[in-house]
Amino acid sequence: MFIAEVISKGKRGKSYTSILLRQSYRLGSAVKSKTLAVLTHLPAHVLEAVRRALAQPPNSLSKLADASGDSLRLRQGQSFGALWTVHQLAQHLGIKKALGVTQEADLSYWQVLARVLRPGTSLLAMVRLATTCAAAALLGWHRAFTEDDLYANGSWLEGRHAVIERRLWQARPAPPKDQLFLYDVTSSYLEGDYNALAAWGYNRDHKAGKKQVVVGLLTDSQGEPVSIQVYRGNTSDLKTFGQQVHKIKKELGCEGVTLIGDRGMIRPDQKAVAQKAEFHFVTALTKPQIQKLLADKVLQLELFEEKVHEVLGEDGRRFVLRRNPLRQEELKRAREQKQQALEAALKKANTYLDEHPRAKVPTRRRHLAARLESLKAQNWLKLSVKKQRLVLTLDAPALQAAAQLDGCYVVETDLKTAQADAQTIHDRYKDLAFVERDFRTLKSGHLEFRPWFVCTQDNTQAHALTSMLALKIRRHLERAWWPLEVTVEEGLRQLEELCVMELIHLQSGKVVARQVPEPSARQKQLLDALKLNPPATVPQAKVTVGTRKKINNVRKTLEK
């Protein structure tokens, strides 16, 4: 750092002298300098103290403060490390470029970064977060905003939804000729009734009495998010499939595509849609479909082994068969536990009948039969009455029939043998676990994109899009920090402790200089894993962001 005096001419030939604190740096072969602070307003004796401190290496704000006596003081400024790290990754992944450079793009970009830093937060909390970290300075905001601006930003973001997804897809490294896409849907329940897409439907969250929305997520073969879409809560999974086929073909411009979906996603109608687009599919058969193929002698029960086997159907379809021994043992153990629970309930019921002569046997039988049905054991455990006592009988042939397909599954595809062998098809279907993991991260894991704090359709779609973009950043953090045995949440909390240090003039209260301190050993590990080196300083913020709604006006007081 050094002090420079710059003389500039104003109107009518009058000259002005500005005293600047600057830092030199090298850009290629050229040496450039940047202004860290304006010192013109400081008294002469303070400027002299600053000059003396700068002349004594190493340069640091603490030496400047010590050399100034009581005129300058060092204080901790806003949090810097976590926000700067997430910002660098978002630029590296092309998210910043995909959103654009307008004021609306800046608002959308902040929503993405805020969702990584503070999961499950509302738009109001996003604005409050901007006041506690160096967001305005780091991101170069030129205009202040409130939570109302973030809410209005949803319509702009949804209008650019397809463009943003396409830009991110095109920014990827050159994809292989044959491309695999994983697709699945989930539901997300709502606390209120005012969301435009809220409806009653099959609730995967098992939240009775709550409306929901349906969310479809399309990823590449590694689970990297490609596209996200929100549907009305009563939309069938099957109806979302055609829209994804159109998106891949028309909007992403992909060819040689294979779509992978679970047994509830790709049915005959969906297969026809994929084939019409000249796409291939990989899916699994339901248990009734497997039983029908066994009855028709297309498949043989002996082929279900731990090792993968393949059967070629007469219509050209390929069936990949396997039995998972771990799953088979798990189902066997579950049936034994159900039988033990029912036998205990039977013993309790008979004891009650013995101790209460006026108790009615049909009533006890009805209660136990309902328990038998709820555990889905009525096919192989038979309940009867003998001499005013309840009796459970194990039907061995029925139990053997029920356990016949334990751990068995069949993967179906129209890919030719030359395109993929049986083991490859099996492994690609198993890759659907990547999408399920992404959904867990979005819903109940790090990002917690529910509850939904928005109501309109545009804002609902925008909320899902910002969550997907945040997911891309989180996945990158998780991969980089995995060898360090640190979670993403732990890493971000540790980086949040890296704050800007400010040198202030006590009399005027103005900031003389700003500097980023040396990271701690753990913080350096986290940054090195991401191949990032923090800058020496942070620029001064040009705007101050604040909320329109004041928190004390909406929260309840603790006093009576």
Side-chain angles (χ1 to χ4, degrees), residues 166-237:
R166 182 168 62 250
R167 285 178 177 175
L168 287 171
W169 176 255
Q170 293 171 347
R172 291 159 47 93
K177 183 178 180 181
D178 295 328
Q179 300 174 51
L180 296 173
F181 288 91
L182 310 174
Y183 179 63
D184 203 356
V185 300
T186 189
S187 59
S188 181
Y189 70 90
L190 301 167
E191 293 294 347
D193 296 326
Y194 299 107
N195 190 284
L197 296 176
W200 306 106
Y202 172 65
N203 198 308
R204 295 168 178 81
D205 299 324
H206 304 293
K207 291 288 184 178
K210 293 188 182 296
K211 292 183 179 180
Q212 65 174 24
V213 293
V214 172
V215 183
L217 181 65
L218 184 73
T219 79
D220 66 9
S221 59
Q222 301 302 312
E224 184 67 24
V226 174
S227 176
I228 194 167
Q229 192 72 30
V230 185
Y231 304 91
R232 283 189 60 81
N234 56 0
T235 304
S236 166
D237 297 358

Side-chain angles (χ1 to χ4, degrees), residues 91-110:
Q91 289 182 308
H92 172 72
L93 295 172
I95 295 174
K96 173 67 172 173
K97 186 177 180 180
L99 289 171
V101 296
T102 64
Q103 170 71 11
E104 293 292 344
D106 289 342
L107 294 176
S108 299
Y109 186 60
W110 172 239

Side-chain angles (χ1 to χ4, degrees), residues 291-306:
Q291 291 171 334
K292 185 176 186 305
L293 290 175
L294 287 170
D296 294 342
K297 307 297 183 182
V298 176
L299 305 179
Q300 291 77 43
L301 194 61
E302 298 76 19
L303 295 179
F304 287 97
E305 298 179 344
E306 186 173 359

Side-chain angles (χ1 to χ4, degrees), residues 121-192:
T121 192
S122 65
L123 299 180
L124 176 66
M126 287 182 181
V127 181
R128 292 178 62 83
L129 174 63
T131 66
T132 61
C133 65
L138 274 175
L139 304 180
W141 291 337
H142 296 281
R143 215 173 80 190
F145 59 86
T146 67
E147 62 273 21
D148 293 341
D149 297 308
L150 290 181
Y151 200 90
N153 178 246
S155 296
W156 177 89
L157 185 57
E158 173 54 20
R160 308 278 293 173
H161 193 139
V163 174
I164 293 167
E165 291 179 344
R166 182 168 62 250
R167 285 178 177 175
L168 287 171
W169 176 255
Q170 293 171 347
R172 291 159 47 93
K177 183 178 180 181
D178 295 328
Q179 300 174 51
L180 296 173
F181 288 91
L182 310 174
Y183 179 63
D184 203 356
V185 300
T186 189
S187 59
S188 181
Y189 70 90
L190 301 167
E191 293 294 347

Side-chain angles (χ1 to χ4, degrees), residues 30 87 131 135 206 264 268-269 315-316 440 444 493 502 517 528 558:
H87 173 48
T131 66
H206 304 293
D269 289 345
D315 54 359
R440 284 197 299 273
S444 57
R493 297 296 83 79
E502 298 177 335
D528 287 345
L558 297 177

Side-chain angles (χ1 to χ4, degrees), residues 493-524:
R493 297 296 83 79
Q494 291 177 32
L495 288 175
E496 278 183 351
E497 296 175 3
L498 184 60
C499 300
V500 180
M501 302 306 296
E502 298 177 335
L503 190 67
I504 61 170
H505 182 227
L506 290 181
Q507 187 174 358
S508 65
K510 293 185 178 180
V511 177
V512 175
R514 297 158 65 85
Q515 191 179 64
V516 177
E518 186 72 20
S520 67
R522 190 56 169 170
Q523 290 168 345
K524 194 172 187 311

